[in-house]
Amino acid sequence: MNDLRAERLQVMLSPEELAAVDDFRFKHRMPTRAAAVRELLKFGLAAAGVDAAAGVKSSSFGVFGRGPEGHTQSDPEGSKED
């Protein structure tokens, strides 16, 4: 397990909330619900003006990078931009 993800957070969702997460996940071709929730959390924190991880990109955590054609698997060398 990634040292940066040592904590588990359990969340109960309504069927409608879960459908919204799944819709976001599939629309953005994300590999897991957890990846989608992390991305949504990052967006929410940014919208609230909270810089939770200054200078850290989601691709640094191995979820995905953004290529010219949308989301792509991250480069192990970390050379892709977010």
Side-chain angles (χ1 to χ4, degrees):
M1 177 182 271
N2 186 333
D3 291 336
L4 297 175
R5 292 190 187 144
E7 296 293 326
R8 179 180 295 266
L9 175 64
Q10 188 170 2
V11 178
M12 301 296 291
L13 300 175
S14 70
E16 296 81 13
E17 291 168 330
L18 185 58
V21 170
D22 284 341
D23 288 348
F24 176 85
R25 172 188 173 194
F26 294 122
K27 180 179 179 182
H28 296 281
R29 304 179 74 182
M30 302 187 83
T32 63
R33 280 181 175 162
V37 169
R38 281 192 295 272
E39 192 73 359
L40 289 165
L41 181 59
K42 184 175 83 173
F43 290 154
L45 289 171
V50 176
D51 190 8
V56 178
K57 298 178 181 178
S58 58
S59 59
S60 300
F61 294 96
V63 177
F64 59 83
R66 293 185 186 177
E69 297 182 27
H71 298 295
T72 60
Q73 291 297 326
S74 66
D75 182 353
E77 302 298 314
S79 62
K80 290 193 177 190
E81 291 295 319
D82 205 6

